Amino acid sequence: MRQMIAGNWKMNGTLAGLAGFAAPLAAGVDGVDLLICPPFPLIGPMIAAFAGAPVAVGAQDCAVEVAGAHTGDVSAPLLAEIGASHVILGHSERRADHGERSALVRDKARTATAAGLIPIICVGETLAERESGEAETVVRAQLAGSVPDGFAGLIAYEPVWAIGTGKTPTVADVAAMHASIRASLKKQLGDAGTAMLILYGGSVKPANAAELLAIPEVGGALIGGASLEADDFLAIAQAAQR
Ligand SMILES: O=C(CO)COP(=O)(O)O
């Protein structure tokens, strides 16, 4: 299966830095889908910087409503209109910082899909949940709540304790979680759940990418810190399975 290497810039990046970031990535990486999700104001300029390059540009969130009196929110139809292809939904930082619950993530996924965006729904357990042996139960519940019927998008498994910490789960733990997510998706979505890409996210770096990306049912990576430097992002993409 063709893997996707996606960057989540979070609240990082500058307009001044875009051209320097885009140039080394402009040729793409054969056999691998590339996506960068910068902050909202950089989406349009990044699409322009990657014009003609095989690199998609997406958003990190969208509103559940399509338009109206929602100060500070950004609508999925507008994101689609300016050329965004994907939208990350339910990232643990949005669940933690903005109180986003799974039901809202599910409704945002419906709105995004209707607008023509491809959602990437994030799930993942906290350290306390992992240490108490509840990781798979927590993630199953997040999937049941966040993934709408008929969903056509991607899932990203991001253990909260691995994000920005330099810690990663063991290969066996990633394999077990991705197998569990696959089983949930098949149960919820039938055939559509069989081929859906399940990305791994959390401290993916050039040094550990090959090992993580070779794990069965890992369909690619969602990368925070290491997506900010083109060389690191490219090195991770080159480690992807083809
Ligand atoms: O949250 C992440 C991507 O969405 C992962 O972030 P890091 O790669 O910085 O750990």
Side-chain angles (χ1 to χ4, degrees):
M1 203 185 306
R2 194 177 163 94
Q3 294 194 319
M4 164 166 280
I5 302 300
N8 172 11
W9 275 19
K10 309 190 179 184
M11 203 170 73
N12 297 296
T14 63
L15 187 58
L18 274 191
F21 177 81
L25 293 171
V29 175
D30 271 353
V32 182
D33 288 326
L34 302 181
L35 168 71
I36 303 282
C37 300
F40 289 126
L42 294 184
I43 292 175
M46 185 177 273
I47 289 170
F50 279 125
V55 181
V57 181
Q60 300 171 15
D61 182 41
C62 69
V64 67
E65 301 88 359
V66 292
H70 305 288
T71 302
D73 284 340
V74 176
S75 80
L78 177 60
L79 290 167
E81 185 190 359
I82 67 165
S85 57
H86 292 69
V87 59
I88 298 169
L89 294 174
H91 191 282
S92 59
E93 288 151 16
R94 294 217 56 91
R95 292 179 190 258
D97 298 351
H98 300 273
E100 292 200 3
R101 310 298 297 259
S102 288
L104 177 67
V105 176
R106 179 198 59 209
D107 292 346
K108 285 185 174 190
R110 289 194 178 117
T111 302
T113 302
L117 297 173
I118 300 170
I120 302 173
I121 294 179
C122 301
V123 294
E125 82 286 355
T126 63
L127 186 58
E129 289 162 345
R130 166 134 318 249
E131 286 178 341
S132 61
E134 293 163 29
E136 289 187 18
T137 310
V138 166
V139 168
R140 263 199 300 275
Q142 288 175 339
L143 289 168
S146 309
V147 175
D149 292 345
F151 179 63
L154 296 83
I155 303 296
Y157 168 57
E158 300 204 312
V160 177
W161 53 272
I163 294 176
T165 60
K167 295 181 189 153
T168 54
T170 63
V171 167
D173 284 346
V174 173
M177 182 61 83
H178 279 239
S180 166
I181 291 171
R182 176 68 67 208
S184 294
L185 292 175
K186 282 185 189 168
K187 200 166 134 204
Q188 277 179 253
L189 302 169
D191 280 352
T194 307
M196 188 166 290
L197 287 183
I198 306 168
L199 310 182
Y200 168 79
S203 295
V204 179
K205 307 290 177 199
N208 61 18
E211 183 179 49
L212 289 164
L213 289 165
I215 299 171
E217 299 290 12
V218 170
L222 183 55
I223 302 149
S227 72
L228 296 170
E229 297 293 337
D231 290 352
D232 286 346
F233 186 72
L234 200 54
I236 293 169
Q238 284 162 347
Q241 306 294 300
R242 278 159 262 180

